[in-house]
Amino acid sequence: MQKFSGFELFRRALGGHKSWQPQWRNPEPKAEYDVIIVGAGGHGLAAAYYLAKEHGITRVAVIERGWLGGGNTGRNTTIVRSNYLFDESAALYEHAVKLWEGLSQDLNYNVMYSARGVLMLAHNHHDEISFKRHVHANRLNGVDNEWLSAEQVKEFCPPLNIRSMRYPIIGGALQRRGGTARHDAVAWGFARAADSRGVDIIQNCEVTGIRRGPSGAVEGVETSKGFIRAKKVGVSAAGHTSVVMAMAGVRMPLESYPLQALVSEPVKPAFPTVVMSNTIHAYISQSDKGEMVIGAGTDAYTSYSQRGALHVTTHTLDAICELVPQFRRLRMLRNWGGIVDVTPDRSPIIAKTPVPGLYVNCGWGTGGFKATPGSGNVFAHTIAKDEPHKINAPFTLERFRDGFLIDEAAAAAVAH
Amino acid sequence: MLIINCPWCGARPEIEFRYGGEAHVARPADPAAMSDQEWADFLYNRTNPKGLHAERWRHIHGCGRYFNAVRDTVSDFFVTTYKAGEPRPDIGESGQ
């Protein structure tokens, strides 16, 4: 791997930048691997990277139907935070935030993690007591989160209109270590770092079946490029998890919904932080390129269509026009949808399955991006050791049978 | 926005309706005899197909009644709608 540094940039500039190599190979699949990851999104690539880095398993293939990072990794609104209510969730998302903080150095790739703060607005008494409960629970778990008054909210994010609106802002919860990262760079950084450790990333190769032996254990996957043998298969297929798991005969507690996002035309720096409001369904931050990045809600019905209804996005824009009146004059440039897999308790599943050798990392619903490094890290542990890391031990498939749901209201709908 | 054909009221815009999830998930006849796994299957596990999906809708801002629909989850095209209690029409597994 060519190491990126200021010196390298300078040295190659002298040669007209002609000596740069591709950042990852584009190999044909081998006949057999130790581990196959299905899905080259951020989570799958991170799992492959940590399998190689922390567990010494380098005979790994990541198989991707389209191109790497082309699914929800490239479609989300790139928010990072860990202020979840329950101990299990706080531990999982905080694990991810700690990895985010050193990720650019670890990968030698600038993922542009920017801890600009995530501000969740309260508009009524219920919001206030709920957020204060979150603040206290978070601090007990060592996760930073603090309550701001309406005036402090205005001071922290001056463009906000806190008074003259239908539901005035009465305060907010701020996680200062929260922020944003560059979604594409996360996928590319993990891909490059995994590839340099010997992981084969096989794009434009669709998994069409999961082959199981007489004992029921996984033997490998059927793909559009032929059968590939592996004793361990990790499914990290986001919205298509139900479809892939059905190939192994496993029914999942998942439903797939379109989740929409949109961006405005790029403008100069005008919005200093990430602002979200569950109550009026607003969700906005400014990318380093200058676009306002806006997350809308999910559609009401399950779908794989990667587009949603217009009334879902206009609902969010109504709220944003009230919250930040100056944005009424912004033009929206693009909107799109991604397919998110939602669990009944809004918490992910990172676990072994009833099929020996088959592992699944899914159910991230509307908010998986923030967990990318942490999720891949514990999923790699689960695959390598054939048992979960203590952080993902509660996030089993069996919790729905045994009644140990992690009913994370902080993960609801637009609130990512 | 989708246009949905309520079997009682006719074609109406999507915002008049509430989605009710997968159809034909039968409530257990003898709840006490169910194992934990069977409860999990009933309560939580869903087919979530990519293709034709039989699902419940409720015309909440209209007649208020539940009905079923078969919709292609790839194109969101409604193949048919039918009244609650009627069996799923036999239109195969693939889309239009």
Side-chain angles (χ1 to χ4, degrees), chain A residues 2-254:
Chain A
Q2 297 170 315
K3 199 165 162 55
F4 292 151
S5 66
F7 173 74
E8 278 296 304
L9 191 63
F10 178 72
R11 190 170 72 83
R12 291 177 197 269
L14 296 178
H17 288 300
K18 291 203 170 68
S19 60
W20 293 106
Q21 302 292 314
Q23 297 189 18
W24 49 81
R25 297 164 295 131
N26 210 2
E28 286 301 306
K30 300 190 185 99
E32 182 172 2
Y33 292 92
D34 291 337
V35 177
I36 287 174
I37 305 283
V38 181
H43 290 238
L45 293 166
Y49 169 68
Y50 289 114
L51 275 171
K53 183 193 173 205
E54 296 191 350
H55 305 282
I57 301 172
T58 56
R59 292 209 321 148
V60 177
V62 186
I63 298 179
E64 168 58 48
R65 186 177 62 132
W67 59 94
L68 70 86
N72 293 347
T73 299
R75 292 165 188 267
N76 69 87
T77 48
T78 77
I79 308 306
V80 176
R81 64 182 177 93
S82 62
N83 52 353
Y84 281 67
L85 179 64
F86 292 118
D87 297 349
E88 297 88 346
S89 321
L92 178 62
Y93 291 101
E94 183 62 14
H95 180 54
V97 168
K98 287 191 173 136
L99 288 170
W100 277 116
E101 286 169 341
L103 196 61
S104 292
Q105 287 72 26
D106 188 32
L107 298 178
N108 180 230
Y109 207 96
N110 187 3
V111 299
M112 298 166 76
Y113 170 58
S114 158
R116 61 184 65 181
V118 172
L119 180 61
M120 302 169 84
L121 300 177
H123 301 266
N124 54 44
H125 182 61
H126 171 81
D127 283 351
E128 181 175 347
I129 54 178
S130 163
F131 286 178
K132 284 183 174 171
R133 183 184 176 210
H134 276 76
V135 167
H136 295 311
N138 289 157
R139 292 172 77 141
L140 286 173
N141 276 320
V143 176
D144 76 303
N145 198 4
E146 62 194 272
W147 174 258
L148 302 186
S149 68
E151 290 69 30
Q152 288 170 316
V153 165
K154 178 77 179 167
E155 192 184 336
F156 188 73
C157 187
L160 285 177
N161 163 27
I162 61 170
R163 292 269 181 263
S164 52
M165 57 194 291
R166 174 67 180 84
Y167 297 101
I169 295 166
I170 62 171
L174 171 65
Q175 184 176 25
R176 291 183 191 272
R177 286 160 64 239
T180 60
R182 169 102 198 273
H183 51 357
D184 292 329
V186 175
W188 298 337
F190 273 120
R192 170 172 168 271
D195 178 87
S196 77
R197 288 172 187 267
V199 172
D200 283 357
I201 301 165
I202 300 156
Q203 305 181 73
N204 299 307
C205 177
E206 182 172 1
V207 170
T208 53
I210 295 176
R211 192 186 287 181
R212 298 171 62 181
S215 67
V218 164
E219 288 189 335
V221 296
E222 310 278 357
T223 76
S224 53
K225 295 188 177 179
F227 177 69
I228 309 173
R229 191 173 294 279
K231 289 197 171 63
K232 291 183 174 181
V233 173
V235 175
S236 190
H240 280 71
T241 303
S242 294
V243 176
V244 176
M245 293 300 282
M247 295 171 188
V250 180
R251 270 172 74 82
M252 298 296 291
L254 293 173

Side-chain angles (χ1 to χ4, degrees), chain A residues 253 342-349 363 394-396 399-400 404-409 411, chain B residues 44:
Chain A
V342 177
T343 56
D345 62 358
R346 301 299 187 268
S347 288
I349 300 164
F395 294 89
T396 61
R399 73 177 187 267
F400 298 99
F404 290 103
L405 271 62
I406 305 163
D407 201 359
E408 193 55 81
Chain B
Y44 301 124

Side-chain angles (χ1 to χ4, degrees), chain A residues 315-357:
Chain A
H315 178 62
T316 292
L317 292 175
D318 287 347
I320 284 169
C321 288
E322 278 231 314
L323 265 183
V324 196
Q326 72 196 46
F327 289 172
R328 289 176 191 187
R329 292 163 61 193
L330 278 179
R331 281 165 296 193
M332 292 299 139
L333 276 194
R334 300 189 304 279
N335 68 322
W336 62 90
I339 303 303
V340 299
D341 45 327
V342 177
T343 56
D345 62 358
R346 301 299 187 268
S347 288
I349 300 164
I350 319 165
K352 298 168 68 170
T353 69
V355 178

